[in-house]
Amino acid sequence: MTNEEARIGVYVCDCGFNIAGVVNVPQVVGYARGLKGVVICREYKYMCSSPGQESIQKDIQDLNLNRVVVASCSPHLHEATFRRAAEQAGMNPFLVHMVNIREHVSWVTKDKKEATEKAKSLIAAGVARVVRHSPLERRQVPVRSDVLIIGGGIAGIQAALTAADAGRHVYLVEREPSIGGHMAKFDKTFPTLDCAACILTPKMTAVKNHPDITLLSYSEVVAVDGYVGNFKVKVKRKPRYVDETKCVGCFECIEECVYKTAKFPSEFELGLGMRKPIYIPFPQAIPLVAVIDPETCIEFKTRQCKKTCVAACGDRGAIDFNQKEATVDLEVGAIIVSTGFHVFDAARMTNYGYGVLPGVYHALEVERLAASNGPTGGEIVLRDGRKPAAVGIVHCVGSRDEHYNPYCSKVCCMYSLKLAHLVKERTGAEVYNFYIDMRTPGKGYEEFYHRLLAENLHLVRGKVAEVTRIAEAAKEEGKLVIVAEDTLLGGIRRVPVDMVILSVAMEPQPDREEVRRMLNMSCSSEGFFLEKHPKLAPVSTMSDGIFIAGACQGPKDIPETVAQAGAAAAEAIALTSKGFITLEPNLAYIEEQLCSGCQVCIPLCPYDAIELDREKMVARISDVLCKGCGVCVAACPSGAAAQRMFEDDQIMLELAGVLSR
Amino acid sequence: MMQTEEFQPRIVAFVCNWCTYIAADAAGVARARYSPNVRLIRTMCSGRVDPQFVLGAFEKGADGVLLCGCHPRDCHYSVGNYKALRRYKLLKKMLSQMGFEDDRFRLEWISASEAEKFRKVVEDMTERVRRLGPFKPNGSSTPNGGK
Ligand SMILES: Cc1cc2nc3c(=O)[nH]c(=O)nc-3n(C[C@H](O)[C@H](O)[C@H](O)COP(=O)(O)OP(=O)(O)OC[C@H]3O[C@@H](n4cnc5c(N)ncnc54)[C@H](O)[C@@H]3O)c2cc1C
Ligand code: SF4
Ligand code: SF4
Ligand code: FES
C-alpha cells in the first residue's frame, strides 16, 4: 500500500457556524486542493451527517480514493463515525485521519486570519501523515461477562439488579456494613414524599436474594489490573468478627451484650443515636448480619469479657473473635463505579456555629431525626428533648460559594422544602427558609414548591450572614438568631429560632483520588468523576470498560441517579454480551532485522509485554499484553521498536506539516 | 512610533491522548481564547515522545517545543510520564549545552480537567518564546527587537 500512489480526499466541515464562522473554509479548501496527493477536497455544512458521510463514501468509490482526511471536530467525538463510513465504502478504517479544527482552532482563536492559517497547517500535517498510514486490523480479545460494582448506594443497587437480571454475575462491593447509602438514612423523599425505606428496602432485599449477585459488604477494592473486558480485581474484606454464613440477624447477641445500654455513638445515626460494641447499623440492613467494633468490645480490649453475646448466639456459633481480614480475587469484564457523595462539613463555615451551638444541625442529621427508624423514632426534637417552636433552614451551605464550592448541589432547595414540610408536620413549628434562588426544576418539583407555599412556610430571600446566641431584644433571649440580608424587602433581618438546619452541599468523596487512580479515571475540577462526554457518553469514562453512575459523577437526586445507574448497567451489559471486544491496533512491534538485542526496552514496559527471544537474540512484544503506550518505541536506540498508528515517520511528517505555515 | 509586526513563534506541543489532548478539547468547549502559535501533536502517552521528535521539531523550524503529559501517578499506562520526565531532563541538559535557551523546551503536566491550565501554559510559552525571538539552528537566536 505504501508504494501505491496516494489518492487523498480531504473533507472540511463547517460545523454550521462553529467552524465556518471563524475559519475561512473556502480558502482552506482551496489550499488543501494544492497539497500533494490530494485528489478532491470538499466543504460541507455537517460532515458527520448522513449526506456528509455519503459524500465521502461516494468519492472513495467513484474517485478510487485510498486515504481520507476529515477536518472537523475532535477525534474523540467522531473518529469512530468517519472510520465506519470509510469501512462501509470498502476502505480500511485506519486509512482515515481526523484533524481537529473546531476544539483546537475555531473555538479558541479570536482572529479569523490566524484561525484560517492554523487550520491550514493542521490539515497539511494530516495530509502528510495519512500518506504513511497502512491498513490495520483491529484486535479481538475475549471479554469476561462478570461485572464489578463499587459502592452499594441506590446507584449501585439499581445497577446490580439490572445487570444481574440480564444474566451477568455481579459483585457488589460496599465498604460499610450495609448497603443503602444515603437514601437509607432518609424518612421521606421529595417530591412525592413517599417513604424512603418503602421503596429502598425491597430493592436491598432483592440484591440479597438474587442468585446472580455476590454482595461483598464491609469490603473495599484495593487493586485493579488488566484492561477492558479482563480486569483483575483485589477486594479486601474487613473482619466483622461475625460469620456471615452463620448469623441470622436475630439481634439476640446485641440484646445480651454485657453493655446493658448502648453507649457508643452510632456511625449510621451520625452520632445522634448510640450503639453497643456489637451492632447492626439499622433494622433493615442488608446483609442483616451483626458487626463487632473491636475498638469498644471488652473482649478485644481485655480478652476477659463474659462474652454473653456468644452465649446468646448459642448453637449458631456465628461470633468469631479470631476472624481475620481476607482478600478476594475477582476477574470481571466491566466495572461500574457508584461511590456516591459526601456531605459538606458544616463546621467549615464557622459563622453558622455548627459544632458549637447545639441547636445547629446539618440536613442529614435532621433526616435521621425525622426517620421513624432513627434515634428519636421520627420526633424532630432538640438535643434536650424539647420540640422547637421555630426552625430556620439555611439553603446553599457550602454550595454556590466561591470559598467552598462554586457549583449548585442541585438537590438542596428540594430537600430543604422537604425538611420544612416534615418539621411542620412533626412539630407544628414556624419554619423559615433562607434561600438565594429557589431552584426546583424537575418533574413535579415546581408543584412541590407550590404545595409547600400553601403550607405557610416563611421564605426569606437572602444569604445568611451568621447564626448567633447574642440577643439584641427580649424575644431573642435564649434563642438562636439567624441574621440575614433580606434582598426582597431590603435590609437586615434577625429571626430568632430554636433550631437551625444547614442544607449542606453534596461534595465528592474524600477518597476520590485513590479510587480515581486505581481505576485510571479523571476527576472534574470539583473532584467528581469525569464522564467521557457530558452529553454523548455520560456514564462512560476515558478508561474503556469503566462506567460511572450516581452522585460520584456530580450532585444529583434519586430519580437521576437511578436513571444513570440503569444506563451504566446497560453499557456494561452491552460491552460484555458479545463475548469479545475489538481493540485499537495501536500496538508496538519489533522489526527483527533492526533489533540489536540490547534489551533496553524490556524493563521499560509497564506491562512486562516484552521478552527476549533467546534463539534469535531479538526482543519480542506480546500482542496480548501490550497496551500501546509507545514507551519502548521512544527508547529503542536501533529504531527497531515501532508503534502502529504512531509510527516515527508519521509523526515526523505531521511535524513538518504543522510547521509548514 | 512605528509598530514593527510582532514576531509569531512556532511552537509544537506533544500531548498525551488521555490528559492534555482532552484538556485542549475542554478549552475549546469552554471557548477559552489563546494564541494560535501552538500546534498539537497527539501521542498515546508522553512516554512515546522520542527525543528525535523534539530535535526534529527544532530542525523543521519550531521556535519552541512543549511536552505535556498526565500528572505524576496519573499516567494511563502507569509510568510512561516518568520515562518522559527522565528523557526530558537528559534532553534539556543536552539542549542547554548546545546553547538552547531554557524557555524553548518545556514540560508540563496537564490533566483532562485542566483546560484553564492548558490555556495559561500555551499563552505563557508563546510569550516567553516570543521574547526569545526566532530560533536559529546554531544556538545564536536573536532576541526580538531588543526589548
Ligand atoms: C440531606 C439530603 C437529603 C436528600 N433528599 C433527597 C430526596 O428526598 N429525594 C431525592 O431524590 N434525593 C435526595 N437527596 C439526594 C440523594 O441522597 C442522592 O441522589 C443519592 O443518595 C445518590 O445515590 P448514590 O448511590 O449515587 O450515592 P450514595 O447514596 O452516597 O451511596 C454511595 C455508596 O457507596 C459506598 N462507597 C463509597 N465509596 C466506596 C468505596 N471506595 N468502596 C466501596 N463502597 C464505597 C458508600 O458507603 C455508599 O453506600 C438528598 C441528599 C441529601 C444530602
Ligand atoms: S530496545 Fe530496541 S534494539 Fe533493544 S531489544 Fe528492544 S527493540 Fe531490540
Ligand atoms: S508500547 Fe508500551 S505496553 Fe506496548 S510493549 Fe511497548 S512499553 Fe510495553
Ligand atoms: S498516558 Fe498521559 S502521560 Fe502517559
Side-chain angles (χ1 to χ4, degrees), chain A residues 489-509:
Chain A
L489 293 179
I492 304 294
R493 276 185 69 174
R494 295 175 62 90
V495 180
V497 296
D498 305 298
M499 181 187 222
V500 175
I501 305 174
L502 303 178
S503 297
V504 282
M506 287 173 86
E507 285 193 333
Q509 290 280 17

Side-chain angles (χ1 to χ4, degrees), chain A residues 142-340:
Chain A
V143 166
R144 298 192 171 270
S145 71
D146 295 355
V147 176
L148 167 72
I149 300 179
I150 309 176
I154 181 60
I157 291 172
Q158 180 72 22
L161 291 172
T162 309
D165 282 346
R168 297 296 172 279
H169 191 85
V170 174
Y171 295 95
L172 177 58
V173 175
E174 166 59 53
R175 72 169 160 211
E176 298 297 329
S178 170
I179 55 171
H182 283 92
M183 190 177 170
K185 292 192 164 65
F186 307 154
D187 184 53
K188 297 262 160 58
T189 54
F190 65 70
T192 42
L193 292 180
D194 40 2
C195 133
C198 311
I199 50 179
L200 181 62
T201 314
K203 281 195 186 286
M204 289 168 59
T205 314
V207 165
K208 176 176 165 262
N209 293 335
H210 206 298
D212 276 322
I213 300 179
T214 303
L215 173 57
L216 301 168
S217 59
Y218 217 34
S219 303
E220 266 176 82
V221 175
V222 288
V224 176
D225 270 325
Y227 51 92
V228 53
N230 297 275
F231 294 106
K232 291 191 169 53
V233 180
K234 247 188 195 0
V235 181
K236 189 181 79 187
R237 305 213 64 191
K238 289 174 268 189
R240 274 177 182 268
Y241 306 109
V242 175
D243 187 334
E244 242 182 276
T245 58
K246 295 182 183 155
C247 174
V248 295
C250 66
F251 290 77
E252 281 172 26
C253 53
I254 303 171
E255 303 262 290
E256 295 304 322
C257 173
V258 290
Y259 280 99
K260 285 298 152 223
T261 51
K263 55 175 280 199
F264 303 103
S266 153
E267 293 80 2
F268 185 79
E269 301 297 359
L270 310 163
L272 294 171
M274 298 296 160
R275 61 155 174 81
K276 294 184 179 179
I278 186 161
Y279 67 99
I280 291 177
F282 57 105
Q284 297 78 15
I286 296 286
L288 195 63
V289 172
V291 202
I292 296 178
D293 168 19
E295 297 293 314
T296 51
C297 170
I298 296 186
E299 176 61 11
F300 279 93
K301 288 165 84 174
T302 66
R303 289 284 160 197
Q304 283 176 3
C305 183
K306 281 195 292 202
K307 291 181 276 201
T308 42
C309 56
V310 175
C313 192
D315 294 346
R316 292 183 290 262
I319 297 173
D320 173 6
F321 292 104
N322 295 318
Q323 210 176 55
K324 295 273 170 308
E325 184 177 288
T327 320
V328 182
D329 290 302
L330 306 174
E331 293 190 53
V332 299
I335 299 177
I336 298 173
V337 185
S338 48
T339 48

Side-chain angles (χ1 to χ4, degrees), chain A residues 265-561:
Chain A
S266 153
E267 293 80 2
F268 185 79
E269 301 297 359
L270 310 163
L272 294 171
M274 298 296 160
R275 61 155 174 81
K276 294 184 179 179
I278 186 161
Y279 67 99
I280 291 177
F282 57 105
Q284 297 78 15
I286 296 286
L288 195 63
V289 172
V291 202
I292 296 178
D293 168 19
E295 297 293 314
T296 51
C297 170
I298 296 186
E299 176 61 11
F300 279 93
K301 288 165 84 174
T302 66
R303 289 284 160 197
Q304 283 176 3
C305 183
K306 281 195 292 202
K307 291 181 276 201
T308 42
C309 56
V310 175
C313 192
D315 294 346
R316 292 183 290 262
I319 297 173
D320 173 6
F321 292 104
N322 295 318
Q323 210 176 55
K324 295 273 170 308
E325 184 177 288
T327 320
V328 182
D329 290 302
L330 306 174
E331 293 190 53
V332 299
I335 299 177
I336 298 173
V337 185
S338 48
T339 48
F341 68 101
H342 186 74
V343 290
F344 174 76
D345 174 11
R348 287 171 65 196
M349 292 181 81
T350 45
N351 46 333
Y352 292 167
Y354 179 81
V356 179
L357 305 173
V360 180
Y361 294 79
H362 69 66
L364 204 53
E365 292 173 327
V366 180
E367 294 281 354
R368 284 320 292 152
L369 293 180
S372 54
N373 66 358
T376 54
E379 298 271 347
I380 300 179
V381 290
L382 295 161
R383 284 177 222 270
D384 58 13
R386 269 187 309 134
K387 255 193 191 168
V391 175
I393 303 179
V394 183
H395 292 218
C396 294
V397 176
S399 300
R400 307 180 68 204
D401 182 331
E402 60 191 66
H403 300 298
Y404 303 100
N405 298 302
Y407 57 84
C408 166
S409 291
K410 211 171 175 182
V411 295
C412 317
C413 280
M414 282 300 288
Y415 80 58
S416 299
L417 292 171
K418 172 183 75 174
L419 290 175
H421 167 86
L422 292 177
V423 168
K424 275 191 147 324
E425 178 187 87
R426 307 281 163 86
T427 65
E430 291 298 320
V431 180
Y432 300 83
N433 279 53
F434 297 82
Y435 68 101
I436 305 177
D437 296 294
M438 189 62 77
R439 296 195 168 170
T440 58
K443 199 170 181 176
Y445 287 14
E446 186 72 4
E447 291 81 345
F448 183 70
Y449 170 45
H450 283 281
R451 171 177 170 183
L452 261 290
L453 287 181
E455 290 182 15
N456 287 327
L457 184 67
H458 304 282
L459 289 173
V460 183
R461 186 168 193 271
K463 204 169 160 71
V464 171
E466 64 165 338
V467 176
T468 175
R469 243 188 319 212
I470 302 169
E472 288 185 0
K475 62 172 187 182
E476 294 179 357
E477 293 297 344
K479 299 268 183 183
L480 293 170
V481 183
I482 300 179
V483 186
E485 187 192 357
D486 189 326
T487 54
L488 291 182
L489 293 179
I492 304 294
R493 276 185 69 174
R494 295 175 62 90
V495 180
V497 296
D498 305 298
M499 181 187 222
V500 175
I501 305 174
L502 303 178
S503 297
V504 282
M506 287 173 86
E507 285 193 333
Q509 290 280 17
D511 67 346
R512 61 183 174 271
E513 280 294 303
E514 287 85 76
V515 175
R516 176 181 77 74
R517 287 221 164 89
M518 191 169 68
L519 294 161
N520 234 324
M521 298 189 289
S522 298
C523 282
S524 61
S525 51
E526 312 86 57
F528 293 106
F529 297 139
L530 193 66
E531 62 282 350
K532 189 167 183 178
H533 190 276
K535 291 170 200 131
L536 302 178
V539 297
S540 304
T541 66
M542 286 303 292
S543 287
D544 287 340
I546 297 185
F547 306 99
I548 47 179
C552 65
Q553 182 262 348
K556 57 177 63 65
D557 57 21
I558 296 165
E560 224 184 313
T561 296

Side-chain angles (χ1 to χ4, degrees), chain B residues 16 18-19 44-46 69-70 75-77 80-81:
Chain B
C16 150
W18 304 100
C19 50
M44 292 310 281
C45 172
S46 61
C70 311
C75 171
H76 197 78
Y77 308 97
N81 50 359

Side-chain angles (χ1 to χ4, degrees), chain A residues 590 595-601 619 636-638 640-641:
Chain A
I590 306 279
C595 175
S596 68
C598 72
Q599 302 169 50
V600 162
C601 54
C636 174
S638 316

